[in-house]
């Protein structure tokens, strides 16, 4: 009996001496969300994702994170029932203590990891954040993480039904050699047309890929008084003019700033390799980040901006690619080399897909409308998105001005006709306006506050 009593006393003493469970607060700031998005952008550059696929990679993790915050923040409404096919996320376990912003970042990182190739690069960020959070409050971290992963699974199931997997096995695009106005692969890599079936991806907000079908492009013609030839000659003349002015010309600076082509191939002797750049969607996500930081937006508003912008851009790519492979128009470089000057080269390398409409124009038009709705008109900002890629900062007085410059940059770059630019901007702005009007993400309470 004495031995048992001694053992009980020893056990009680050991328990009383055990260090108490840590219960420090875990404060999640917009910087943790930014870190996840920035890491995804870095990985997409490394893995060389096409612009349409990159837009999908941005959108789903943002939606997952947003849904967690909207479920617990009275200022925001869920997107369930607003986005095509999206149902409400699981209810949290009320017996648990959950940091919902932490859960949102967990869901964002988890879905991002599922969408890229270089998972280890995402895991390194995830593990570093997990270590900090768990060290502060293991129970709170564990419960919050579990809920974030639960929501990621829910959004993942919805994501997997968007027809992306099916498009991976669809046939490659075939070139019609008998039609002189149809798109042909362009130098130097002469790649196949990318994502010819992207219009089969389920849109987020649009009723269909063809909802904002633009007017057809000018009919292919080499008659000098035809609309097509006049636009062709304009591309040729603009390129020659700015070449004479030198690399320091404003037009060349604009073209390079908005290049955003992840498929640039460089040849050195017998060796061909790709230089890595961000996509148009990544550039506009960078602009959204700049705007959020300039306005000192909190976690929820930052996520609201990222989500609405990424959803609009994802649908913009679906809309644009629907038209690209419908009109299937030949690029200026091909026609100029065949019929005007066989040594002519554009300022920028022509990307590997049909010409009409301009992807930059459509996506920039859509993004500019959404960001104007979030942050206001005449929102001036300094765009340093391209600084890591060796390009200087450019300043804009509004998102609209930035979108207009992004669009015309394609003319300066020698890769688009005017119609693709002007019609593309309208296509994007019409689509962006539709997204703004259809998605009711702000609650009545928040709208009244604004």
């Amino acid at each position: 009996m004495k031995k048992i009593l001694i053992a009980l006393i020893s056990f009680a003493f050991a328990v009383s001496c055990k260090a108490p469970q840590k219960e420090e607060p875990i404060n999640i700031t917009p910087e943790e969300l930014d870190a996840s998005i920035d890491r995804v952008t870095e990985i997409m550059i490394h893995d060389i994702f096409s612009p349409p696929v990159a837009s999908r990679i941005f959108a789903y993790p943002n939606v997952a994170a947003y849904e967690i915050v909207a479920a617990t923040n009275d200022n925001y409404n869920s997107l369930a029932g607003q986005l095509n096919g999206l149902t409400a996320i699981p209810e949290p376990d009320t017996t648990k203590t959950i940091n919902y912003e932490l859960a949102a970042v967990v869901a964002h990182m988890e879905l991002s990891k599922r969408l890229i190739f270089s998972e280890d690069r995402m895991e390194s960020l995830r593990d570093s954040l997990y270590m900090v959070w768990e060290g502060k409050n293991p129970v709170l971290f564990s419960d919050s993480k579990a809920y974030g992963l639960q929501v990621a699974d829910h959004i993942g199931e919805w994501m997997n039904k968007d027809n992306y997997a099916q498009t991976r096995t669809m046939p490659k695009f075939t070139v019609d050699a008998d039609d002189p106005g149809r798109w042909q692969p362009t130098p130097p890599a002469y790649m196949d047309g990318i994502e010819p079936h992207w219009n089969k991806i389920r849109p987020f907000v649009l009723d269909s890929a063809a909802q904002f079908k633009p007017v057809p492009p000018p009919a292919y013609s080499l008659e000098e008084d035809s609309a097509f030839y006049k636009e062709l000659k304009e591309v040729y003349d603009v390129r020659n003019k700015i070449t004479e002015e030198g690399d320091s010309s404003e037009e060349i600076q604009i073209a390079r700033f908005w290049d955003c082509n992840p498929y640039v191939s460089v040849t050195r002797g017998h060796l061909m390799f790709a230089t890595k750049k961000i996509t148009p969607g990544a550039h506009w996500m960078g602009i959204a980040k700049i705007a959020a930081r300039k306005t000192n937006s909190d976690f929820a508003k930052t996520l609201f901006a990222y989500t609405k912008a990424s959803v609009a851009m994802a649908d913009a790519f679906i809309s644009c690619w629907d038209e690209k492979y419908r009109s299937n128009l030949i690029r200026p470089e091909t026609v100029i080399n065949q019929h005007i000057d066989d040594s002519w080269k554009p300022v920028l390398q022509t990307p590997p897909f049909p010409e009409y409409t301009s992807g930059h124009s459509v996506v920039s038009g859509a993004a500019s409308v959404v960001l104007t709705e979030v942050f206001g008109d005449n929102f001036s900002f300094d765009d340093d998105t391209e600084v890591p890629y060796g390009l200087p900062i450019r300043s804009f007085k509004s998102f609209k001005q930035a979108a207009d410059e992004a669009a015309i940059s394609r003319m300066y770059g020698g890769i688009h006709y005017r119609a693709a630019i002007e019609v593309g901007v309208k296509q994007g702005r019409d689509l962006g306006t539709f997204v703004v009007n259809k998605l009711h993400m702000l609650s009545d309470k928040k709208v009244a506050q604004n």
Side-chain angles (χ1 to χ4, degrees), residues 106-119:
V106 168
H108 193 283
M109 292 189 293
E110 174 62 23
L111 267 185
S112 297
K113 184 171 74 73
R114 298 181 191 183
L115 285 160
I116 46 87
F117 299 144
S118 301
E119 295 182 12

Side-chain angles (χ1 to χ4, degrees), residues 332-343:
E333 181 175 15
T334 306
V335 188
I336 291 171
N337 287 165
Q338 289 176 350
H339 301 285
I340 299 178
D341 181 351
D342 61 8
S343 64

Side-chain angles (χ1 to χ4, degrees), residues 117-128:
F117 299 144
S118 301
E119 295 182 12
D120 59 311
R121 292 173 177 247
M122 197 71 210
E123 289 169 350
S124 65
L125 171 67
R126 179 199 65 188
D127 293 347
S128 65

Side-chain angles (χ1 to χ4, degrees), residues 45-46 48 187-191 261-277 349:
I45 294 169
H46 177 270
I48 315 182
Y190 295 95
M191 294 176 61
N261 179 6
Y263 286 104
V264 175
S265 300
V266 178
T267 302
R268 295 285 186 270
H270 297 293
L271 177 66
M272 179 176 286
F273 58 93
T275 59
K276 298 180 178 182
K277 299 181 181 181
Q349 195 169 114

Side-chain angles (χ1 to χ4, degrees), residues 89 271 330:
I89 61 175
L271 177 66
I330 196 167

Side-chain angles (χ1 to χ4, degrees), residues 129-152:
L129 291 176
Y130 280 7
M131 184 180 297
V132 172
W133 295 335
E134 186 173 24
K136 289 184 176 180
N137 193 323
V139 175
L140 178 61
F141 164 71
S142 178
D143 291 347
S144 304
K145 173 188 170 185
Y147 185 58
L149 295 177
Q150 186 182 10
V151 172

Side-chain angles (χ1 to χ4, degrees), residues 169-413:
T169 61
M170 291 178 182
K172 291 183 178 181
F173 177 71
T174 56
V175 177
D176 185 354
D178 295 329
D179 187 340
R182 307 296 269 181
W183 179 81
Q184 301 174 31
T186 51
Y190 295 95
M191 294 176 61
D192 292 331
I194 66 162
E195 299 300 341
H197 306 289
W198 200 251
N199 65 343
K200 297 178 179 64
I201 300 294
R202 179 190 60 205
F204 285 83
V205 187
L206 299 183
D207 299 328
S208 73
Q211 184 173 351
F212 289 94
K213 177 183 176 181
V215 298
Y220 176 84
S221 173
L222 295 178
E223 296 294 328
E224 292 188 5
D225 61 347
S226 69
F228 177 86
Y229 190 84
K230 289 176 181 178
E231 291 200 2
L232 174 71
K233 191 65 163 51
E234 181 182 24
V235 176
Y236 177 73
D237 291 342
V238 166
R239 170 67 174 97
N240 292 343
K241 178 179 179 297
I242 63 178
T243 299
E244 292 173 1
E245 295 174 357
D247 284 354
S248 62
S249 73
E250 178 73 356
E251 292 87 352
I252 289 181
Q253 295 303 310
I254 289 171
R256 290 176 175 165
F257 184 78
W258 293 101
D259 186 12
C260 304
N261 179 6
Y263 286 104
V264 175
S265 300
V266 178
T267 302
R268 295 285 186 270
H270 297 293
L271 177 66
M272 179 176 286
F273 58 93
T275 59
K276 298 180 178 182
K277 299 181 181 181
I278 59 174
T279 63
H283 192 134
W284 278 98
M285 288 298 291
I287 291 174
K289 175 182 173 181
I290 291 166
R293 296 291 71 77
K294 181 177 179 179
T295 54
N296 294 315
S297 295
D298 62 13
F299 185 94
K301 184 176 180 180
T302 299
L303 184 53
F304 164 65
Y306 287 162
T307 304
K308 202 159 193 178
S310 60
V311 163
M313 289 191 287
D315 273 5
F317 273 109
I318 292 172
S319 176
C320 181
W321 253 244
D322 178 60
E323 178 56 39
K324 279 186 179 294
Y325 286 95
R326 178 188 299 109
S327 54
N328 195 13
L329 187 61
I330 196 167
R331 288 279 184 170
E333 181 175 15
T334 306
V335 188
I336 291 171
N337 287 165
Q338 289 176 350
H339 301 285
I340 299 178
D341 181 351
D342 61 8
S343 64
W344 185 91
K345 292 182 179 180
V347 171
L348 304 178
Q349 195 169 114
T350 303
F353 36 80
E355 191 271 346
Y356 186 86
T357 46
S358 157
H360 271 60
S361 302
V362 179
V363 171
S364 298
S368 67
V369 169
V370 170
L371 292 179
T372 297
E373 188 248 353
V374 176
F375 296 106
D377 203 358
N378 300 316
F379 185 96
S380 62
F381 62 96
D382 297 325
D383 186 356
D384 61 357
T385 308
E386 299 286 341
V387 168
Y389 313 103
L391 296 171
I393 295 171
R394 292 189 67 82
S395 300
F396 301 98
K397 296 179 180 179
S398 67
F399 300 116
K400 179 181 183 297
Q401 184 193 28
D404 287 340
E405 184 178 282
I408 197 61
S409 74
R410 317 314 276 165
M411 166 77 74
Y412 300 152

Side-chain angles (χ1 to χ4, degrees), residues 64-74 76 89 100-101 104 299-300 303:
Y66 174 83
E67 285 299 282
I68 293 174
V69 171
T72 57
N73 188 320
D74 291 339
Y76 298 93
I89 61 175
Y100 291 98
E101 292 177 347
F299 185 94
L303 184 53

